[in-house]
């Protein structure tokens, strides 16, 4: 382009009148074309977390500053990767330049963010985190539950460190009888990760351990990077014992926290989480003891009331009278049953001759009537009637025999039934009642001649008595006997 043409274009542009909105839009388009996404390093200042979830801040260094915005979704991604936005934090941000027309200012639209000076280290951290997450090492299904009452706890940390002192102090205070085992290991430096992995594998083979605490008292991202070592993370994942990761402070998220069975923000918090407080346990045990004592007392009261009701029961207070009542009742039922069965058998026996006589009479009448009528009939018909008569007579004889057998069977069955009932009544009589009384501790008392003794007033000094139990008999001699004022038996 010649100088004259350039001058003409410049004059034409100068002669155009722009609105402010159009100029702002044009400026924004030119910035996006001339300055694609680029990385900027600076310090966060004026940080504000808006209620909408968006983050507003200023990115500055010693010579200049820009206002910046990070939209909610991008800020959440950055925080999930371990970046906690705050004033004074040195960061590296991937930004796009935009012109914010309503405010009339140039603004940085932050796409991604990472701590400054840790570009390669942070990138390795994010890549390892993504890979292990894809393999499922962070899944909740692999988490083991911590024992409620551990007796021995392993501490994997640096000897003489503040973290070790804090854990030991709190564990001893909460549970003085707890046994602690230390596995010393470096917790900082490029070689600390592999050493921690080897020490952990050796540690979990020691007998008696209930769980392991992996602890360190915080530090910078670089200081804690050994807890992102892949060998250590896989050792934590393979450990057969529950592991608590107590590394750093609230703002730190080493990968050991994600792989371990439980994450504690600090070593002190880990000590608080893994053991119960003895004072709380004693209080709980006291409450349980009170409930147990109350339950035992209630049970004793109920059983004592039940025992008193048994002692006061008439069957135990007057066992001989109850026995005699049962014997009398048995005799009455037995007599009634025998009489009833005897009457029934007698009626059946008395009916047999009458039935047989009636049957014979009927047969003779039929024979006589049939013979009289046969003389008046033709010979052929008489023959047929005689045959029919003979056949009927045979059938009647068969039926009569069946009837006699049936009657005899009924009589025999009734007799057997009577004998069985008599036997059962005898077995359920005094012997059965005596067995039940013997089970309650009672015995049948009789004098030398076998007559039952019903009262203490019937006894004499030096008299020999017979005691009948369920499994045998015994003879005793009366030393003294006493009768109460009402005449009831009180003592032998």
């Amino acid at each position: 382009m010649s100088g004259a043409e350039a001058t003409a274009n410049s004059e034409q542009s100068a002669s155009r009148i722009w609105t402010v909105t159009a100029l702002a839009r044009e400026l924004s388009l030119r910035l996006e074309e001339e300055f694609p996404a680029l990385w900027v390093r600076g310090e966060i200042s004026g940080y504000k977390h808006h209620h909408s979830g968006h983050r507003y801040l200023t990115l500055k260094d010693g010579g200049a500053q820009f206002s910046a915005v990070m939209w909610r979704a991008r800020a959440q991604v950055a925080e999930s990767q371990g970046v906690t936005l705050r004033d004074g934090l040195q960061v590296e941000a991937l930004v796009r330049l935009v012109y914010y027309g309503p405010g009339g200012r140039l603004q940085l639209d932050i796409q991604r963010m990472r701590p400054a000076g840790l570009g390669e280290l942070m990138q390795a951290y994010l890549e390892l985190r993504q890979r292990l997450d894809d393999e499922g090492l962070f899944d909740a299904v692999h988490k083991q539950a911590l024992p409620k009452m551990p007796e021995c706890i392993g501490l994997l940390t640096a000897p003489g460190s503040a973290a070790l002192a804090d854990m030991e102090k709190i564990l001893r205070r909460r549970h003085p009888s707890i046994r602690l085992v230390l596995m010393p290991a470096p917790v900082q430096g490029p070689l600390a990760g592999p050493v921690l992995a080897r020490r952990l594998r050796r540690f979990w083979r020691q007998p008696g351990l209930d769980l392991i605490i992996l602890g360190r008292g915080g530090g910078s991202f670089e200081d804690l990077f050994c807890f992102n070592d892949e060998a250590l993370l896989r050792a934590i994942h393979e450990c057969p014992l529950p592991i608590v990761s107590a590394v750093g402070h609230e703002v730190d998220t080493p990968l050991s926290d994600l792989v371990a069975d439980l994450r504690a923000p600090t070593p002190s918090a880990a000590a608080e989480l893994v053991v119960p407080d003895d004072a709380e346990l004693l209080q709980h045990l006291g409450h349980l003891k009170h409930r147990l004592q109350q339950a035992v007392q209630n049970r004793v009261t109920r059983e004592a009331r039940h025992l008193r009701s048994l002692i006061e029961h008439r069957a135990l207070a007057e066992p001989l009278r109850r026995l005699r009542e049962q014997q009398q009742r048995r005799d009455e039922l037995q007599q009634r049953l025998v009489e009833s069965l005897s009457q029934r058998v007698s009626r059946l026996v008395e009916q047999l001759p009458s039935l047989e006589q009636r049957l014979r009479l009927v047969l003779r009448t039929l024979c006589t009537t049939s013979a009289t009528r046969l003389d008046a009939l033709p010979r052929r018909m008489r023959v047929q009637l005689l045959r029919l008569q003979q056949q009927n007579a045979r059938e009647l004889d068969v039926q009569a025999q069946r009837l006699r057998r049936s009657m005899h069977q009924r009589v025999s069955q009734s007799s057997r039934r009577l004998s069985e009932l008599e036997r059962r009544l005898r077995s359920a009589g005094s012997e059965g009642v005596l067995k039940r009384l013997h089970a309650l501790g009672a015995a049948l008392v009789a004098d030398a001649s076998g007559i039952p003794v019903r009262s203490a007033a019937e006894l004499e000094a030096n008299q020999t008595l017979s005691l009948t139990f369920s499994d045998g008999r015994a003879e005793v001699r009366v030393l003294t006997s006493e009768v109460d004022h009402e005449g009831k038996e009180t003592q032998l």
Side-chain angles (χ1 to χ4, degrees):
M1 180 182 297
S2 62
E5 291 176 350
T7 301
N9 290 336
S10 177
E11 291 176 354
Q12 184 178 1
S13 298
S15 62
R16 179 180 175 181
I17 299 176
W18 294 73
T19 64
V20 175
T21 301
L23 180 59
R25 187 181 300 113
E26 182 68 18
L27 181 58
S28 180
L29 291 174
R30 295 288 180 88
L31 287 173
E32 291 181 7
E33 292 175 357
E34 296 295 331
F35 295 96
L38 49 87
W39 286 94
V40 177
R41 179 183 295 134
E43 178 185 339
I44 294 178
S45 176
Y47 172 73
K48 180 180 181 182
H49 186 162
H50 197 267
H51 62 80
S52 63
H54 308 316
R55 275 65 161 179
Y56 297 95
L57 54 98
T58 298
L59 202 58
K60 67 178 184 178
D61 61 11
Q65 65 180 20
F66 286 96
S67 62
V69 61
M70 194 172 191
W71 308 115
R72 179 177 59 187
R74 295 170 183 169
Q76 291 174 348
V77 171
E79 291 176 350
S80 68
Q81 295 175 348
V83 180
T84 303
L85 302 181
R86 62 181 183 273
D87 286 344
L89 180 64
Q90 294 286 337
V91 296
E92 294 175 353
L94 181 64
V95 303
R96 299 182 67 89
L97 291 174
V98 296
Y99 183 77
Y100 183 63
R105 65 180 182 273
L106 190 65
Q107 185 171 264
L108 305 181
D109 183 2
I110 301 175
Q111 312 292 308
R112 293 171 55 190
M113 184 177 288
R114 65 193 182 197
L118 299 177
E120 295 181 359
L121 206 58
M122 177 60 70
Q123 189 64 30
Y125 168 87
L126 296 176
E127 291 176 356
L128 178 59
R129 174 172 178 165
Q130 186 62 46
R131 181 155 52 85
L132 297 182
D133 192 12
D134 294 340
E135 292 182 23
L137 267 68
F138 306 152
D139 294 347
V141 69
H142 302 304
K143 308 298 183 185
Q144 303 182 65
L146 270 62
K148 294 184 178 180
M149 295 288 293
E151 297 180 359
C152 182
I153 296 179
L155 304 177
L156 181 59
T157 187
S161 63
L164 175 61
D166 292 343
M167 289 189 290
E168 185 175 5
K169 176 182 177 181
I170 295 175
L171 290 170
R172 296 295 186 194
R173 172 176 57 82
R174 291 177 64 84
H175 196 54
S177 62
I178 193 71
R179 189 162 66 94
L180 303 178
V181 179
L182 172 65
M183 174 62 74
V187 292
Q188 184 173 338
L191 300 179
V195 174
L196 283 168
R198 291 194 299 271
R199 298 284 173 84
L200 176 59
R201 293 182 182 277
R202 185 194 310 168
F203 204 11
W204 79 53
R205 293 185 178 90
Q206 291 192 14
L209 289 181
D210 295 318
L211 63 92
I212 296 174
I213 300 178
L214 175 65
R216 177 201 157 95
S220 65
F221 183 80
E222 295 167 299
D223 294 338
L224 302 178
F225 202 77
C226 62
F227 294 96
N228 300 319
D229 184 80
E230 184 173 358
L232 174 61
L233 300 178
R234 295 194 179 278
I236 295 174
H237 178 68
E238 297 169 7
C239 180
L241 299 176
I243 291 187
V244 179
S245 177
V247 179
H249 300 287
E250 289 285 358
V251 297
D252 303 313
T253 309
L255 296 182
S256 61
D257 285 1
L258 305 179
V259 183
D261 300 296
L262 180 67
R263 175 191 181 272
T266 64
S268 300
E272 297 278 351
L273 291 172
V274 297
V275 295
D277 193 313
D278 277 4
E280 296 176 0
L281 286 177
L282 290 174
Q283 183 179 1
H284 181 62
L285 288 176
H287 177 66
L288 293 178
K289 178 182 177 181
H290 175 72
R291 290 178 56 189
L292 180 60
Q293 290 175 341
Q294 190 67 33
V296 170
Q297 183 62 39
N298 293 338
R299 180 65 180 272
V300 170
T301 302
R302 289 197 304 269
E303 296 300 331
R305 189 183 302 116
H306 180 61
L307 181 60
R308 284 195 300 272
S309 66
L310 291 177
I311 293 174
E312 296 170 358
H313 197 276
R314 288 197 329 173
L316 295 178
E318 302 178 4
L320 292 179
R321 187 178 67 82
R322 297 289 295 174
L323 174 61
R324 297 188 188 103
E325 290 177 357
Q326 295 298 325
Q327 289 175 339
Q328 182 178 355
R329 177 64 174 166
R330 187 277 316 269
D331 295 340
E332 292 175 356
L333 291 176
Q334 182 178 0
Q335 183 63 30
R336 288 171 57 184
L337 179 61
V338 170
E339 292 176 355
S340 175
L341 292 176
S342 299
Q343 292 174 3
R344 186 172 181 181
V345 171
S346 299
R347 286 196 300 269
L348 292 174
V349 173
E350 291 174 357
Q351 291 175 3
L352 280 177
S354 176
L355 291 174
E356 185 176 1
Q357 184 178 2
R358 289 173 59 187
L359 181 59
R360 291 182 181 278
L361 180 60
V362 170
L363 289 175
R364 284 197 300 270
T365 304
L366 288 175
C367 292
T368 304
T369 305
S370 300
T372 304
R373 292 178 180 177
L374 284 175
D375 294 337
L377 294 176
R379 181 176 179 278
R380 185 176 180 180
M381 293 182 65
R382 287 200 302 270
V383 172
Q384 292 180 352
L385 288 174
L386 286 173
R387 290 177 180 174
L388 181 61
Q389 182 179 356
Q390 293 173 356
Q391 182 179 357
N392 289 336
R394 286 194 298 270
E395 291 181 357
L396 286 173
D397 290 338
V398 172
Q399 294 297 331
Q401 293 176 2
R402 288 180 178 176
L403 179 59
R404 284 193 294 271
R405 285 197 300 268
S406 176
M407 295 299 294
H408 285 301
Q409 289 176 358
R410 290 287 298 275
V411 171
S412 299
Q413 290 175 358
S414 298
S415 298
R416 288 194 298 271
R417 178 62 176 168
L418 177 60
S419 300
E420 175 65 20
L421 290 175
E422 184 177 2
R423 185 188 64 79
R424 292 175 61 184
L425 281 172
R426 287 175 180 174
S427 65
S430 58
E431 295 178 0
V433 174
L434 282 174
K435 288 182 179 179
R436 289 192 293 272
L437 288 174
H438 291 328
L440 296 174
L444 184 61
V445 182
D447 59 14
S449 60
I451 299 175
V453 178
R454 297 176 176 82
S455 171
E458 300 177 7
L459 301 178
E460 298 177 356
N462 297 322
Q463 182 179 359
T464 301
L465 300 179
S466 173
L467 301 183
T468 302
F469 298 92
S470 61
D471 56 351
R473 303 179 61 183
E475 289 188 355
V476 298
R477 185 177 299 278
V478 177
L479 299 179
T480 60
S481 64
E482 295 180 3
V483 180
D484 62 9
H485 297 292
E486 297 181 357
K488 294 184 179 180
E489 300 169 11
T490 59
Q491 179 180 356
L492 287 180

